[in-house]
């Protein structure tokens, strides 16, 4: 089920049944960006959360718009193909830009606006948007997948990227101290985009916990955030036993919304044992998803997570602790 909490929590939440009924993967990904829970709570004064909708009417109009996109997604597919995206963050930007250009809520003014001083690029503002009531917003979009690799201390530094090149607390600090401040800089005023601009962070994604166990989340994290699990290769046989009969590796551009496949896709699924054997020689974490069949003949994602090499937990814990001392 596509969680409908998050940015629209102050309004009546849209029917999860209508969101779950969306069949096109790209349209479902747009809906997920707009309606899934935020990863973070608001971090005032600098870290205000983005609010895509100003009224219940805008929410309802967006659901109708998503239904129309789902019925005829050809133009959206051409937009994605023309963008030639290979990175998850750029894919998310591509989808949000489509909504802001063609959707019924906030209007796109500019995207990926570079800010330079004496020929040196200081950064880029992801999105400049104007709401129906005339508010002018600067959105910084981040879509992240972090694995909890801590020891119960309840700190944001415990959440690390699968390749151990990223960490949640450092990402948040960069958002607050650099990215969200770009539109308030003197150099930005010279670009001709009339302000003032209210900077907001648009942070979506998934957090993954060892064998699906509950951990004490840091105060910065929204308790409603999307959750998954991770398991070592050695733990995989016992963890996956009885979990699901159908498994598949998720390509990176399928890391946003929960997946749905029709019966023709069934040949791509493998058993848990076969998946474990397939990934035995992998040297990096791999995201996989479990599927179950429903009464309509579709395969619906039940859960998702990472299978990691047996030495990854130790390396991840050392990465979080060492970098924490250096930060």
């Amino acid at each position: 089920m596509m969680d409908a909490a998050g940015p629209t929590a102050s309004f009546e939440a849209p029917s999860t049944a209508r969101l779950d009924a969306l069949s096109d993967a790209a349209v479902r990904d747009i809906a997920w960006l707009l309606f899934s829970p935020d990863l973070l709570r608001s971090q005032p004064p600098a870290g205000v959360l983005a609010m895509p909708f100003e009224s219940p009417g805008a929410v309802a109009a967006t659901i109708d718009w998503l239904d129309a996109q789902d019925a005829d997604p050809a133009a959206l597919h051409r937009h994605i193909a023309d963008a030639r995206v290979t990175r998850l963050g750029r894919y998310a930007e591509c989808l949000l830009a489509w909504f802001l250009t063609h959707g019924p809520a906030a209007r796109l003014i500019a995207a990926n606006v570079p800010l330079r001083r004496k020929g040196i690029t200081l950064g880029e503002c992801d999105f400049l948007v104007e709401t129906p009531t005339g508010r002018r917003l600067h959105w910084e979009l981040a879509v992240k997948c972090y694995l909890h690799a801590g020891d119960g201390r309840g700190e944001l530094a415990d959440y690390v990227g699968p390749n151990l090149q990223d960490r949640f607390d450092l990402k948040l600090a960069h958002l607050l101290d650099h990215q969200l401040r770009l539109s308030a800089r003197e150099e930005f005023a010279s670009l001709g985009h009339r302000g003032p601009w209210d900077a907001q962070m648009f942070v979506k994604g998934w957090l993954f916990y060892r064998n699906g166990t509950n951990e004490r989340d840091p105060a910065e994290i929204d308790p409603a955030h999307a959750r998954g699990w991770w398991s070592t290769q050695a733990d995989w046989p016992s963890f996956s036993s009885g979990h699901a009969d159908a498994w598949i590796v998720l390509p990176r551009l399928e890391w946003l919304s929960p997946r749905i496949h029709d019966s023709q896709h069934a040949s791509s699924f493998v058993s848990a044992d076969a998946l474990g054997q397939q990934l035995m020689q992998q040297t990096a974490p791999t995201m996989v998803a479990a599927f179950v069949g429903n009464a309509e003949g579709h395969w619906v994602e039940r859960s998702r997570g990472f299978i990691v090499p047996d030495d990854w937990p130790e390396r991840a814990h050392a990465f979080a602790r060492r970098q924490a001392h250096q930060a």
Side-chain angles (χ1 to χ4, degrees):
M1 181 177 293
M2 196 179 297
D3 198 320
T8 61
S10 58
F11 308 128
E12 182 179 353
S15 167
T16 57
R18 289 191 67 182
L19 296 177
D20 290 342
L22 298 171
S23 60
D24 182 79
V27 177
R28 286 176 60 84
D29 285 342
I30 294 176
W32 181 88
L33 282 171
L34 297 175
F35 294 111
S36 68
D38 294 282
L39 281 188
L40 294 166
R41 299 177 190 265
S42 184
Q43 311 288 316
V48 176
L49 295 180
M51 301 286 285
F53 310 108
E54 288 188 320
S55 69
V59 175
T62 295
I63 299 296
D64 291 340
W65 179 81
L66 289 167
D67 283 339
Q69 294 289 301
D70 199 50
D72 183 12
L76 170 60
H77 292 176
R78 288 194 296 270
H79 169 71
I80 296 170
D82 290 344
R84 301 179 182 275
V85 292
T86 58
R87 294 168 50 200
L88 186 66
R90 289 298 185 188
Y91 173 60
E93 289 180 4
C94 178
L95 296 179
L96 189 56
W98 180 261
F99 170 71
L100 292 171
T101 302
H102 301 284
R107 178 179 64 88
L108 179 67
I109 294 176
N112 302 122
V113 179
L115 188 63
R116 298 184 177 92
R117 181 176 60 193
K118 297 180 179 180
I120 299 174
T121 300
L122 303 175
E124 284 189 353
C125 296
D126 287 346
F127 293 98
L128 302 179
V129 305
E130 185 173 59
T131 72
T133 62
R135 290 188 65 197
R136 296 171 77 81
L137 307 176
H138 161 207
W139 283 352
E140 285 297 319
L141 174 66
V143 176
K144 309 301 294 185
C145 290
Y146 290 118
L147 287 69
H148 182 272
D151 49 13
R153 57 190 175 146
E155 295 182 9
L156 208 58
D158 291 337
Y159 296 83
V160 301
N163 293 323
L164 304 183
Q165 297 177 354
D166 188 14
R167 205 181 68 212
F168 207 176
D169 65 320
L170 299 180
K171 177 59 181 177
L172 176 58
H174 186 62
L175 274 170
L176 298 178
D177 298 338
H178 179 69
Q179 290 175 258
L180 291 170
R181 297 177 183 269
L182 290 174
S183 56
R185 294 184 65 116
E186 181 180 348
E187 295 87 352
F188 185 83
S190 67
L191 297 179
H193 297 296
R194 177 181 55 83
W197 297 92
D198 292 331
Q200 300 177 342
M201 59 182 185
F202 203 123
V203 184
K204 300 287 182 169
W206 296 75
L207 302 181
F208 300 84
Y209 300 84
R210 186 165 191 170
N211 295 329
T213 57
N214 291 323
E215 295 287 345
R216 180 165 60 94
D217 291 326
E220 298 94 334
I221 290 179
D222 187 328
H225 67 270
R227 291 174 176 262
W229 43 263
W230 62 267
S231 172
T232 62
Q233 292 170 341
D235 288 344
W236 176 247
S238 59
F239 172 75
S240 61
S241 178
H243 191 90
D245 295 326
W247 294 86
I248 197 169
V249 172
L250 286 182
R252 186 170 293 271
L253 295 189
E254 296 183 13
W255 286 14
L256 299 187
S257 66
R259 301 287 100 181
I260 292 180
H261 294 303
D262 58 31
S263 57
Q264 296 178 346
H265 201 90
S267 60
S268 301
F269 294 124
V270 297
S271 68
D273 289 344
L275 184 63
Q277 291 297 319
Q278 176 183 334
L279 299 180
M280 188 62 68
Q281 303 305 317
Q282 292 288 336
T283 59
T286 301
M287 190 188 287
V288 302
F291 286 79
V292 294
N294 65 13
E296 290 75 36
H298 295 131
W299 290 91
V300 180
E301 182 181 321
R302 178 182 182 183
S303 73
R304 65 173 58 185
F306 283 89
I307 302 177
V308 307
D310 290 336
D311 67 343
W312 186 89
E314 182 177 356
R315 290 189 289 116
H317 185 261
F319 171 80
R321 299 295 294 186
R322 181 178 64 252
Q323 296 291 339
H325 294 319
Q326 294 174 1

